[in-house]
mmCIF file of all heavy atoms in Angstrom:
data_model
loop_
_atom_site.group_PDB
_atom_site.id
_atom_site.type_symbol
_atom_site.label_atom_id
_atom_site.label_comp_id
_atom_site.label_asym_id
_atom_site.label_seq_id
_atom_site.Cartn_x
_atom_site.Cartn_y
_atom_site.Cartn_z
ATOM 1 N N PHE H 21 72.851 103.404 176.596
ATOM 2 C CA PHE H 21 72.481 103.852 177.885
ATOM 3 C C PHE H 21 73.647 104.680 178.521
ATOM 4 O O PHE H 21 73.425 105.679 179.091
ATOM 5 C CB PHE H 21 72.221 102.638 178.801
ATOM 6 C CG PHE H 21 71.843 103.018 180.214
ATOM 7 C CD1 PHE H 21 70.516 103.507 180.430
ATOM 8 C CD2 PHE H 21 72.648 102.901 181.257
ATOM 9 C CE1 PHE H 21 70.128 103.901 181.749
ATOM 10 C CE2 PHE H 21 72.327 103.263 182.522
ATOM 11 C CZ PHE H 21 71.038 103.759 182.810
ATOM 12 N N ILE H 22 74.875 104.185 178.310
ATOM 13 C CA ILE H 22 75.970 104.938 178.873
ATOM 14 C C ILE H 22 76.617 105.877 177.936
ATOM 15 O O ILE H 22 77.667 106.542 178.162
ATOM 16 C CB ILE H 22 77.107 103.938 179.426
ATOM 17 C CG1 ILE H 22 77.664 103.101 178.268
ATOM 18 C CG2 ILE H 22 76.486 103.055 180.511
ATOM 19 C CD1 ILE H 22 78.734 102.140 178.756
ATOM 20 N N LYS H 23 76.070 105.920 176.690
ATOM 21 C CA LYS H 23 76.485 106.909 175.592
ATOM 22 C C LYS H 23 77.974 106.759 175.239
ATOM 23 O O LYS H 23 78.740 107.733 175.301
ATOM 24 C CB LYS H 23 76.170 108.355 176.110
ATOM 25 C CG LYS H 23 74.666 108.571 176.302
ATOM 26 C CD LYS H 23 74.441 110.010 176.712
ATOM 27 C CE LYS H 23 72.931 110.318 176.745
ATOM 28 N NZ LYS H 23 72.191 109.391 177.558
ATOM 29 N N VAL H 24 78.349 105.556 174.815
ATOM 30 C CA VAL H 24 79.768 105.351 174.300
ATOM 31 C C VAL H 24 79.706 105.204 172.821
ATOM 32 O O VAL H 24 78.738 104.799 172.292
ATOM 33 C CB VAL H 24 80.365 104.091 174.936
ATOM 34 C CG1 VAL H 24 80.533 104.244 176.483
ATOM 35 C CG2 VAL H 24 79.560 102.841 174.623
ATOM 36 N N GLU H 25 80.728 105.639 172.191
ATOM 37 C CA GLU H 25 80.848 105.634 170.781
ATOM 38 C C GLU H 25 82.150 105.044 170.349
ATOM 39 O O GLU H 25 83.071 104.777 171.149
ATOM 40 C CB GLU H 25 80.763 107.123 170.201
ATOM 41 C CG GLU H 25 79.565 107.866 170.569
ATOM 42 C CD GLU H 25 78.290 107.333 169.985
ATOM 43 O OE1 GLU H 25 78.359 106.750 168.896
ATOM 44 O OE2 GLU H 25 77.197 107.565 170.534
ATOM 45 N N GLY H 26 82.368 104.850 169.039
ATOM 46 C CA GLY H 26 83.679 104.512 168.505
ATOM 47 C C GLY H 26 84.240 103.269 169.037
ATOM 48 O O GLY H 26 83.593 102.141 169.148
ATOM 49 N N ILE H 27 85.545 103.303 169.398
ATOM 50 C CA ILE H 27 86.300 102.137 169.819
ATOM 51 C C ILE H 27 85.614 101.477 171.086
ATOM 52 O O ILE H 27 85.460 100.243 171.119
ATOM 53 C CB ILE H 27 87.718 102.602 170.209
ATOM 54 C CG1 ILE H 27 88.484 103.032 168.978
ATOM 55 C CG2 ILE H 27 88.517 101.421 170.855
ATOM 56 C CD1 ILE H 27 89.883 103.568 169.237
ATOM 57 N N SER H 28 85.160 102.262 172.030
ATOM 58 C CA SER H 28 84.616 101.799 173.252
ATOM 59 C C SER H 28 83.262 100.963 172.924
ATOM 60 O O SER H 28 83.084 99.876 173.468
ATOM 61 C CB SER H 28 84.239 102.862 174.186
ATOM 62 O OG SER H 28 85.422 103.571 174.652
ATOM 63 N N ALA H 29 82.491 101.462 172.010
ATOM 64 C CA ALA H 29 81.248 100.739 171.611
ATOM 65 C C ALA H 29 81.582 99.406 170.983
ATOM 66 O O ALA H 29 80.879 98.442 171.120
ATOM 67 C CB ALA H 29 80.357 101.591 170.707
ATOM 68 N N ARG H 30 82.561 99.492 170.070
ATOM 69 C CA ARG H 30 82.958 98.241 169.277
ATOM 70 C C ARG H 30 83.532 97.213 170.293
ATOM 71 O O ARG H 30 83.319 96.012 170.144
ATOM 72 C CB ARG H 30 83.836 98.538 168.183
ATOM 73 C CG ARG H 30 83.160 99.186 166.983
ATOM 74 C CD ARG H 30 84.102 99.357 165.825
ATOM 75 N NE ARG H 30 85.032 100.477 165.994
ATOM 76 C CZ ARG H 30 84.745 101.743 165.729
ATOM 77 N NH1 ARG H 30 83.546 102.108 165.262
ATOM 78 N NH2 ARG H 30 85.618 102.688 165.888
ATOM 79 N N ASN H 31 84.321 97.667 171.215
ATOM 80 C CA ASN H 31 84.956 96.704 172.224
ATOM 81 C C ASN H 31 83.818 96.105 173.107
ATOM 82 O O ASN H 31 83.916 94.914 173.418
ATOM 83 C CB ASN H 31 85.974 97.468 173.096
ATOM 84 C CG ASN H 31 87.307 97.721 172.327
ATOM 85 O OD1 ASN H 31 87.480 97.158 171.271
ATOM 86 N ND2 ASN H 31 88.057 98.519 172.933
ATOM 87 N N LEU H 32 82.861 96.900 173.445
ATOM 88 C CA LEU H 32 81.735 96.409 174.217
ATOM 89 C C LEU H 32 80.938 95.371 173.451
ATOM 90 O O LEU H 32 80.536 94.326 173.990
ATOM 91 C CB LEU H 32 80.824 97.577 174.638
ATOM 92 C CG LEU H 32 79.728 97.253 175.694
ATOM 93 C CD1 LEU H 32 80.315 96.812 177.037
ATOM 94 C CD2 LEU H 32 78.871 98.538 175.887
ATOM 95 N N LEU H 33 80.783 95.589 172.189
ATOM 96 C CA LEU H 33 80.141 94.598 171.315
ATOM 97 C C LEU H 33 80.924 93.336 171.312
ATOM 98 O O LEU H 33 80.411 92.261 171.425
ATOM 99 C CB LEU H 33 80.033 95.164 169.871
ATOM 100 C CG LEU H 33 79.449 94.155 168.820
ATOM 101 C CD1 LEU H 33 77.931 93.913 169.154
ATOM 102 C CD2 LEU H 33 79.564 94.733 167.383
ATOM 103 N N GLY H 34 82.222 93.435 171.231
ATOM 104 C CA GLY H 34 83.120 92.238 171.297
ATOM 105 C C GLY H 34 83.083 91.507 172.579
ATOM 106 O O GLY H 34 83.015 90.297 172.610
ATOM 107 N N CYS H 35 82.929 92.317 173.665
ATOM 108 C CA CYS H 35 82.732 91.590 174.968
ATOM 109 C C CYS H 35 81.449 90.818 175.052
ATOM 110 O O CYS H 35 81.485 89.692 175.573
ATOM 111 C CB CYS H 35 82.710 92.717 175.987
ATOM 112 S SG CYS H 35 84.325 93.527 176.351
ATOM 113 N N ALA H 36 80.472 91.361 174.502
ATOM 114 C CA ALA H 36 79.115 90.711 174.555
ATOM 115 C C ALA H 36 79.178 89.377 173.673
ATOM 116 O O ALA H 36 78.630 88.378 174.133
ATOM 117 C CB ALA H 36 78.029 91.594 173.980
ATOM 118 N N VAL H 37 79.795 89.444 172.525
ATOM 119 C CA VAL H 37 79.913 88.280 171.690
ATOM 120 C C VAL H 37 80.799 87.208 172.398
ATOM 121 O O VAL H 37 80.380 86.033 172.290
ATOM 122 C CB VAL H 37 80.521 88.718 170.320
ATOM 123 C CG1 VAL H 37 80.898 87.421 169.467
ATOM 124 C CG2 VAL H 37 79.553 89.576 169.549
ATOM 125 N N ALA H 38 81.823 87.614 172.887
ATOM 126 C CA ALA H 38 82.815 86.653 173.480
ATOM 127 C C ALA H 38 82.061 85.962 174.699
ATOM 128 O O ALA H 38 82.190 84.707 174.864
ATOM 129 C CB ALA H 38 84.032 87.335 174.015
ATOM 130 N N ALA H 39 81.308 86.737 175.483
ATOM 131 C CA ALA H 39 80.684 86.152 176.717
ATOM 132 C C ALA H 39 79.597 85.200 176.238
ATOM 133 O O ALA H 39 79.365 84.160 176.810
ATOM 134 C CB ALA H 39 80.088 87.253 177.532
ATOM 135 N N ALA H 40 78.864 85.546 175.200
ATOM 136 C CA ALA H 40 77.762 84.781 174.679
ATOM 137 C C ALA H 40 78.277 83.424 174.112
ATOM 138 O O ALA H 40 77.780 82.372 174.501
ATOM 139 C CB ALA H 40 77.012 85.447 173.563
ATOM 140 N N VAL H 41 79.356 83.456 173.365
ATOM 141 C CA VAL H 41 79.922 82.199 172.795
ATOM 142 C C VAL H 41 80.470 81.310 173.924
ATOM 143 O O VAL H 41 80.321 80.076 174.025
ATOM 144 C CB VAL H 41 81.041 82.515 171.815
ATOM 145 C CG1 VAL H 41 81.755 81.260 171.318
ATOM 146 C CG2 VAL H 41 80.403 83.243 170.575
ATOM 147 N N SER H 42 81.100 81.965 174.880
ATOM 148 C CA SER H 42 81.821 81.237 176.001
ATOM 149 C C SER H 42 80.788 80.585 176.905
ATOM 150 O O SER H 42 80.916 79.349 177.250
ATOM 151 C CB SER H 42 82.699 82.122 176.845
ATOM 152 O OG SER H 42 83.707 82.723 175.986
ATOM 153 N N ALA H 43 79.681 81.306 177.238
ATOM 154 C CA ALA H 43 78.666 80.720 178.068
ATOM 155 C C ALA H 43 77.954 79.574 177.338
ATOM 156 O O ALA H 43 77.604 78.615 177.972
ATOM 157 C CB ALA H 43 77.683 81.787 178.480
ATOM 158 N N SER H 44 77.763 79.740 176.013
ATOM 159 C CA SER H 44 76.948 78.786 175.272
ATOM 160 C C SER H 44 77.729 77.467 175.154
ATOM 161 O O SER H 44 77.201 76.349 175.168
ATOM 162 C CB SER H 44 76.569 79.359 173.949
ATOM 163 O OG SER H 44 75.823 78.417 173.183
ATOM 164 N N PHE H 45 79.054 77.592 174.918
ATOM 165 C CA PHE H 45 79.862 76.386 174.520
ATOM 166 C C PHE H 45 80.867 75.953 175.544
ATOM 167 O O PHE H 45 81.637 75.079 175.324
ATOM 168 C CB PHE H 45 80.656 76.681 173.158
ATOM 169 C CG PHE H 45 79.667 76.770 171.998
ATOM 170 C CD1 PHE H 45 79.468 77.990 171.429
ATOM 171 C CD2 PHE H 45 79.048 75.696 171.446
ATOM 172 C CE1 PHE H 45 78.625 78.111 170.278
ATOM 173 C CE2 PHE H 45 78.241 75.720 170.386
ATOM 174 C CZ PHE H 45 77.975 76.979 169.811
ATOM 175 N N ASN H 46 80.958 76.685 176.689
ATOM 176 C CA ASN H 46 81.938 76.404 177.694
ATOM 177 C C ASN H 46 83.347 76.513 177.096
ATOM 178 O O ASN H 46 84.185 75.567 177.310
ATOM 179 C CB ASN H 46 81.665 75.088 178.323
ATOM 180 C CG ASN H 46 82.584 74.833 179.535
ATOM 181 O OD1 ASN H 46 83.054 75.731 180.163
ATOM 182 N ND2 ASN H 46 82.748 73.553 179.933
ATOM 183 N N ALA H 47 83.595 77.539 176.378
ATOM 184 C CA ALA H 47 84.781 77.684 175.580
ATOM 185 C C ALA H 47 85.408 79.066 175.670
ATOM 186 O O ALA H 47 85.223 79.853 174.804
ATOM 187 C CB ALA H 47 84.610 77.282 174.081
ATOM 188 N N PRO H 48 86.029 79.441 176.787
ATOM 189 C CA PRO H 48 86.471 80.865 177.034
ATOM 190 C C PRO H 48 87.555 81.243 176.007
ATOM 191 O O PRO H 48 87.532 82.476 175.599
ATOM 192 C CB PRO H 48 86.932 80.843 178.461
ATOM 193 C CG PRO H 48 87.217 79.452 178.728
ATOM 194 C CD PRO H 48 86.358 78.641 177.928
ATOM 195 N N ILE H 49 88.471 80.422 175.696
ATOM 196 C CA ILE H 49 89.573 80.827 174.822
ATOM 197 C C ILE H 49 89.003 81.053 173.431
ATOM 198 O O ILE H 49 89.226 82.167 172.792
ATOM 199 C CB ILE H 49 90.663 79.770 174.762
ATOM 200 C CG1 ILE H 49 91.206 79.457 176.107
ATOM 201 C CG2 ILE H 49 91.729 80.155 173.725
ATOM 202 C CD1 ILE H 49 92.245 78.377 176.160
ATOM 203 N N ALA H 50 88.208 80.157 172.918
ATOM 204 C CA ALA H 50 87.640 80.285 171.607
ATOM 205 C C ALA H 50 86.596 81.445 171.539
ATOM 206 O O ALA H 50 86.580 82.197 170.515
ATOM 207 C CB ALA H 50 86.907 78.982 171.204
ATOM 208 N N GLY H 51 85.914 81.621 172.609
ATOM 209 C CA GLY H 51 84.955 82.784 172.595
ATOM 210 C C GLY H 51 85.716 84.107 172.470
ATOM 211 O O GLY H 51 85.287 85.017 171.688
ATOM 212 N N THR H 52 86.835 84.300 173.121
ATOM 213 C CA THR H 52 87.664 85.529 173.026
ATOM 214 C C THR H 52 88.173 85.660 171.547
ATOM 215 O O THR H 52 87.961 86.737 170.958
ATOM 216 C CB THR H 52 88.858 85.436 173.919
ATOM 217 O OG1 THR H 52 88.406 85.295 175.253
ATOM 218 C CG2 THR H 52 89.704 86.652 173.826
#
């Protein structure tokens, strides 16, 4: 939607994964 590529897109993917793990397990450090 925002048309990002490369490093920005991969970092955004990492953000989504970290937030999903943290919200699911109440584990912000491990999610990161």
Side-chain angles (χ1 to χ4, degrees):
F21 182 76
I22 63 178
K23 296 180 173 58
V24 296
E25 306 290 335
I27 296 176
S28 297
R30 285 186 284 275
N31 286 349
L32 190 60
L33 177 67
C35 290
V37 169
V41 172
S42 300
S44 179
F45 293 107
N46 190 20
I49 302 174
T52 301

